[in-house]
Amino acid sequence: EKQQEERGEIEKRVEDFVAAYKSGEGEEMLTFDSSVSPFGRKVVHEISEKLALQHESLGEGEARYITVRIPEASAKKRHEEETQQLRDRQQLKEEKKQNEQEQREKILRESAEQEKLKQEQQQKTLAQQSMGRNGKAAGGQASLTANLHRARQERQAAIDSSSGSAAGGCTGVEEKMCVLVSFDKASFEVWISG
């Protein structure tokens, strides 16, 4: 009769454990401490087998105890951990890719800015040289535009008067100097009186 009572208590405890877990309020592991008799541990194993639960006796002698686990909880927890690890790896990979892209864009921006500054400096230098050769003091944009316009007209006149074709670049024309000037994406040949 005492064993029947112990069996009933153990069955109720295991069934309550399973019901609590399924309702979302319970733990995934139930421990029967060393106060459970060898008969009680045997009952726990039987009920666990019947309900398809994981069960294991641990410890030795009087310190022996038994644990019962929900198998899908262990699998679910493992799956969640693996999924989280996968997400973490993907996130790190995406962050690394984004950082590399940002670095490339930064390098391209800096390179473009340096090239722009270099071109502006070259344009200023050429404009100053052009105005100096024409015997004029360094002037503003209007002066540079007028010099470029006059140089184009002089070049066209030189091309018209020469017997050969001047297409494709600067050609030697008497007492004229050819300077290649680059503005952003367009290049111009500027002929300046020597």
Side-chain angles (χ1 to χ4, degrees):
E1 190 171 303
K2 185 178 178 185
Q3 287 181 341
Q4 282 299 99
E5 188 177 312
E6 187 176 12
R7 176 182 285 277
E9 289 175 11
I10 291 171
E11 285 179 350
K12 181 169 180 6
R13 193 167 166 199
V14 171
E15 289 170 357
D16 289 348
F17 161 71
V18 172
Y21 177 78
K22 287 183 178 179
S23 71
E25 298 176 8
E27 299 293 322
E28 64 181 61
M29 185 174 82
L30 173 65
T31 303
F32 289 90
D33 64 21
S34 59
S35 66
V36 175
S37 68
F39 171 77
R41 286 195 303 273
K42 182 181 174 191
V43 171
V44 172
H45 286 297
E46 288 173 5
I47 295 169
S48 296
E49 283 294 321
K50 181 179 161 187
L51 298 175
L53 302 173
Q54 294 176 340
H55 49 96
E56 181 177 21
S57 289
L58 302 164
E60 293 183 17
E62 291 185 17
R64 196 147 175 86
Y65 65 98
I66 186 167
T67 61
V68 178
R69 294 180 187 264
I70 307 287
E72 61 266 10
S74 299
K76 181 180 177 183
K77 185 173 183 178
R78 242 188 342 268
H79 175 71
E80 288 173 356
E81 289 172 354
E82 290 170 358
T83 302
Q84 186 60 45
Q85 289 173 355
L86 180 62
R87 283 187 195 130
D88 292 346
R89 282 195 301 268
Q90 287 175 333
Q91 184 176 0
L92 287 173
K93 190 176 179 180
E94 288 173 10
E95 287 174 1
K96 181 180 178 184
K97 186 177 177 180
Q98 183 177 358
N99 287 340
E100 289 172 352
Q101 180 65 26
E102 288 173 359
Q103 282 290 66
R104 282 193 296 272
E105 289 173 0
K106 181 180 177 185
I107 290 169
L108 288 173
R109 276 194 310 272
E110 289 173 354
S111 177
E113 289 172 10
Q114 289 175 354
E115 184 63 28
K116 184 178 178 182
L117 290 173
K118 182 179 174 183
Q119 287 179 355
E120 288 174 357
Q121 185 60 40
Q122 288 174 345
Q123 289 172 2
K124 287 179 186 177
T125 302
L126 288 172
Q128 289 171 351
Q129 290 173 353
S130 171
M131 286 182 232
R133 284 194 175 94
N134 288 323
K136 298 185 179 186
Q141 183 66 31
S143 177
L144 177 60
T145 302
N147 285 340
L148 290 174
H149 181 68
R150 188 176 67 251
R152 272 190 229 114
Q153 289 176 336
E154 290 175 359
R155 179 173 184 258
Q156 188 60 45
I159 291 171
D160 292 343
S161 67
S162 69
S163 60
S165 171
C170 297
T171 59
V173 176
E174 197 172 307
E175 297 185 22
K176 301 288 183 198
M177 182 176 101
C178 178
V179 178
L180 186 62
V181 179
S182 175
F183 293 98
D184 292 326
K185 294 181 182 166
S187 295
F188 303 93
E189 292 174 8
V190 179
W191 289 82
I192 302 168
S193 296

